[in-house]
Amino acid sequence: MKKYVCDVCGYVYDPALGDPTQGINPGTSFEDLPDDWTCPDCGVEKENFSPLE
């Protein structure tokens, strides 16, 4: 699964880790995150993330 980086603050969403701060289990792909998920560091929406190469 691909990692995604926040274009605003640089936070990297790693599917292997999930996002325990928002109840996202490890193994959850970025595409499967809820539509209302936001960056845990700066609060922007999913549309502000880009695939990490």
Side-chain angles (χ1 to χ4, degrees):
M1 285 185 275
K2 189 178 283 191
K3 296 178 183 179
Y4 281 74
V5 62
C6 178
D7 299 328
V8 176
C9 74
Y11 168 83
V12 175
Y13 176 76
D14 184 346
L17 302 176
D19 178 11
T21 67
Q22 297 185 58
I24 306 298
N25 292 325
T28 303
S29 70
F30 186 81
E31 294 80 10
D32 289 338
L33 290 171
D35 290 337
D36 63 350
W37 180 84
T38 58
C39 177
D41 284 353
C42 72
V44 298
E45 298 174 343
K46 283 175 62 176
E47 64 194 30
N48 294 295
F49 278 73
S50 299
L52 191 61
E53 299 299 327

